[in-house]
Amino acid sequence: MNAGTHNTDLLTRSACSVWHPCTQMKQHESLPLVPIARARGTWLYDFDGRRYLDAISSWWVNLFGHANPRINAALVAQLAELEHVMLAGFTHEPVVQLSERLAGLTGNTLGHCFYGSDGASATEIALKMSYHYWRNSGRSEKTGFISLTNSYHGETLGALSVTDVALFKDVYAPLLRQCAQVPSPDFRLAENGESPRAYAERCAQALERYLESHHAQTAALIVEPLVQGATGMAMYDAEYLRRARALCERFEVHLIADEIMIGFGRSGTFFAHQQADIVPDFLCLSKGITGGYLPLSVVMTTDKVYAAFYDDSVTRGFLHSHSYTGNALACRAALATLDIFRDDDVINVNRTKAAHISRVAAPLARHARVRNFRNTGMIWAFDVDTDDAEFARNFHAAALERELLLRPIGNTVYFMPPYVINDREIDMLVTRTLEILDVLFK
Ligand SMILES: *Cc1c(COP(=O)(O)O)cnc(C)c1O
């Protein structure tokens, strides 16, 4: 079969046998799937030799490029030793090392790691642990959860309950538990003339009012620190996190930091909450944790939470489990990812690279259609002024024609490239994005 035939054949079969995520499958009648044969660095290749710059890190997971030689080598070595063993009653070197190194990265404030396989499971684990902590502490009336408006914490039923995206949530409303939403500190929602910080403070006051009347029934507040990703890269001032931390302390409510997207350097610091100089009670990590190789998530927590479960009674323990908890290959990929952070001084190198990308991308901010051009760490986003309900699809299709993988969220276009993106690729990304805007709005 020649390459072109293989492309077409794979598309037809995939649209039939594979039910793709986050997709109305019928739309693939007009917008074909993109078949990928292999990938290297920042590039994805199909069977015809067409290529796409992975400017969104394959849904925000890839940090150091595809087929990264160091992660590949670590996985090959691990395969020769141990691919997997159950983690109940058993343990292994990669999971212990990973837990110790992650704890070290929190200054050993979050010294206990509980593993899952994906982000939504991490959210579930944090919610259950928080509730169970209060129950074990004689406070079983604390069953409520608070999240921010426009938050995203995953799509299993528990995670969806604290997610605030109508499109994903409304259909399933009868299945979900009621959770409270307090105003998002997204700076775009500030009043005219109000600074992002002043707006963050105003939102913290709204949280305070909520907690004043509901703290006795509330177990936890869950937030995406600094950037609300899935609802359009909403960015906010770190002051909100400082205030939220203090309020949670005062009202005896847990703070869950969902850093599933923003952790592992995406915010510019290793963890985003570090920019507010706070420690959450629970830290959820996934996505970049394995460098984009294998599914793995973890919830990290404090000695205090851990101690509340440590008991002679079985039911006071956290009996939650997933079959692949602490998978050895995934942990090894995560360790190789952490090695790259350390050996290549990635956080500092990214600071220089981010400043360069912001300079190169500056013309986008001046485009007539562009609003709210914004940046946090290794994320850039802007909103496009258009009434076109099909904007995201049209932009995505136009990007594919120009060798770019970009997938706007509503009217928001964002770049979230692998950290290994080079200068030539950055130029290409910006130039072609400008070209797409000009073509769509000529
Ligand atoms: C992606 C994401 C999740 C869900 O992770 P999955 O692995 O897709 O289940 C949760 N929270 C945030 C902030 C995310 O970006």
Side-chain angles (χ1 to χ4, degrees):
M1 197 183 309
N2 73 33
T5 327
H6 196 151
N7 266 351
T8 324
D9 182 56
L10 195 69
L11 295 191
T12 319
R13 281 160 49 212
S14 190
C16 179
S17 60
V18 182
W19 199 337
H20 291 264
C22 205
T23 300
Q24 168 49 268
M25 291 299 292
K26 192 165 193 295
Q27 289 191 346
H28 283 311
E29 289 176 6
S30 55
L31 182 66
L33 288 154
V34 184
I36 297 301
R38 60 192 191 89
R40 294 285 179 284
T42 50
W43 292 95
L44 308 170
Y45 300 90
D46 75 3
F47 296 88
D48 295 338
R50 281 189 62 84
R51 57 175 202 167
Y52 306 96
L53 181 72
D54 191 355
I56 58 168
S57 300
S58 285
W59 254 358
W60 324 347
V61 300
N62 192 291
L63 303 187
F64 299 118
H66 296 272
N68 181 286
R70 285 184 274 180
I71 303 176
N72 284 7
L75 282 173
V76 168
Q78 185 60 42
L79 269 174
E81 301 301 328
L82 173 71
E83 82 297 337
H84 178 74
V85 64
M86 62 189 286
L87 202 65
F90 291 80
T91 193
H92 54 80
E93 191 66 39
V95 77
V96 176
Q97 272 186 30
L98 180 60
S99 306
E100 290 172 353
R101 285 182 67 181
L102 289 173
L105 288 162
T106 69
N108 293 311
T109 53
L110 301 169
H112 306 275
C113 293
F114 194 101
Y115 291 90
S117 317
D118 53 53
S121 306
T123 300
E124 302 283 342
I125 290 164
L127 298 176
K128 283 176 72 177
M129 252 187 201
S130 170
Y131 157 76
H132 199 163
Y133 168 93
W134 293 116
R135 184 185 160 90
N136 282 352
S137 310
R139 307 280 300 277
S140 47
E141 71 289 355
K142 284 169 92 66
T143 58
F145 297 108
I146 318 171
S147 61
L148 302 180
T149 51
N150 302 320
S151 57
Y152 183 90
H153 300 291
E155 294 175 57
T156 52
L157 292 178
L160 195 56
S161 297
V162 287
T163 286
D164 184 38
V165 182
L167 182 64
F168 301 154
K169 191 169 182 176
D170 285 359
V171 184
Y172 307 102
L175 310 184
L176 304 177
R177 73 191 298 280
Q178 283 299 316
C179 290
Q181 262 86 51
V182 292
S184 162
D186 173 359
F187 75 77
R188 294 170 302 173
L189 304 174
E191 301 275 327
N192 258 340
E194 188 179 32
S195 71
R197 165 135 331 173
Y199 181 59
E201 287 167 0
R202 191 149 65 83
C203 290
Q205 284 159 15
L207 172 63
E208 181 172 15
R209 281 193 298 280
Y210 181 85
L211 287 172
E212 268 165 2
S213 41
H214 297 90
H215 65 92
Q217 301 89 291
T218 302
L221 163 70
I222 182 166
V223 299
E224 294 160 88
L226 299 184
V227 181
Q228 295 182 291
T231 52
M233 303 300 153
M235 300 183 184
Y236 64 87
D237 194 283
E239 181 62 16
Y240 185 79
L241 296 173
R242 277 188 288 274
R243 300 267 174 133
R245 173 70 282 184
L247 290 167
C248 285
E249 204 67 50
R250 181 162 121 222
F251 289 107
E252 296 189 291
V253 165
H254 287 138
L255 178 63
I256 302 171
D258 174 355
E259 298 214 15
I260 288 165
M261 178 279 280
I262 198 94
F264 291 85
R266 202 44 92 172
S267 70
T269 47
F270 195 83
F271 297 124
H273 68 266
Q274 292 168 330
Q275 294 186 36
D277 203 17
I278 58 157
V279 179
D281 299 289
F282 299 93
L283 174 61
C284 301
L285 303 171
S286 188
K287 293 206 163 100
I289 190 170
T290 61
Y293 267 67
L294 288 159
L296 181 73
S297 65
V298 60
V299 177
M300 302 177 66
T301 191
T302 60
D303 290 345
K304 186 175 176 187
V305 169
Y306 183 73
F309 290 80
Y310 200 84
D311 196 86
D312 290 326
S313 152
V314 171
T315 55
R316 283 177 67 97
F318 192 62
L319 304 185
H320 187 98
S321 68
H322 296 285
S323 310
Y324 281 95
T325 297
N327 174 261
L329 283 170
C331 290
R332 180 58 68 194
L335 285 165
T337 300
L338 290 180
D339 286 346
I340 297 175
F341 271 102
R342 181 193 58 206
D343 298 345
D344 294 3
D345 194 17
V346 169
I347 297 296
N348 281 319
V349 170
N350 274 2
R351 215 161 276 151
T352 312
K353 186 171 282 192
H356 173 72
I357 297 178
S358 292
R359 272 193 304 276
V360 174
L364 280 166
R366 294 190 292 269
H367 191 280
R369 292 281 181 158
V370 168
R371 307 280 177 271
N372 300 312
F373 185 87
R374 54 195 182 275
N375 160 242
T376 297
M378 291 295 281
I379 307 172
W380 289 262
F382 57 86
D383 308 325
V384 175
D385 185 11
T386 172
D387 297 329
D388 180 7
E390 295 293 308
F391 169 77
R393 279 183 77 196
N394 293 338
F395 189 100
H396 173 67
L400 287 176
E401 285 167 16
R402 288 166 183 79
E403 303 187 312
L404 298 181
L405 166 50
L406 287 170
R407 208 168 179 274
I409 301 168
N411 291 0
T412 300
V413 177
Y414 68 92
F415 305 149
M416 207 194 277
Y419 302 161
V420 291
I421 191 170
N422 67 30
D423 289 358
R424 201 163 23 84
E425 292 158 353
I426 294 163
D427 288 342
M428 176 192 146
L429 174 60
V430 173
T431 310
R432 297 194 186 175
T433 299
L434 281 164
E435 200 179 297
I436 297 163
L437 289 174
D438 288 341
V439 168
L440 292 183
F441 301 109
K442 51 174 181 287

